[in-house]
Amino acid sequence: AQISALAWQPTGDLLASAGRDGGVAVWAPSTTARRRARVRADAGARVTALAWDPGGGRLIAGTREGTVLAVRP
């Protein structure tokens, strides 16, 4: 899937990536476990924006269709 958005957690420990297929993955680059969590927006939704809350505990994903998802990885 093509990457449509990236966002580092404020602490720099995690990197979130979004694909045009609606998938959102959270990666822990400092460990061998590359994918920490995965969620998916509604079928056909394209995630176009990612942002972490200031404390880094929640990831917010926005779709082109106007849906907003909150994830606790």
Side-chain angles (χ1 to χ4, degrees), residues 1-7 16-24 45-50 61-64:
Q2 291 182 325
I3 301 298
S4 58
L6 291 171
S17 64
R20 291 186 179 181
D21 64 353
V24 176
R46 296 175 96 182
V47 176
T48 56
L50 291 172
T63 69
R64 184 173 72 174

Side-chain angles (χ1 to χ4, degrees), residues 4 16 21-22 25 30 33-36 41-44 51 53 55 62 65 73:
S4 58
D21 64 353
S30 63
R34 296 187 68 181
R35 186 169 23 209
R36 183 168 169 160
D42 292 336
D53 72 2
E65 294 76 16

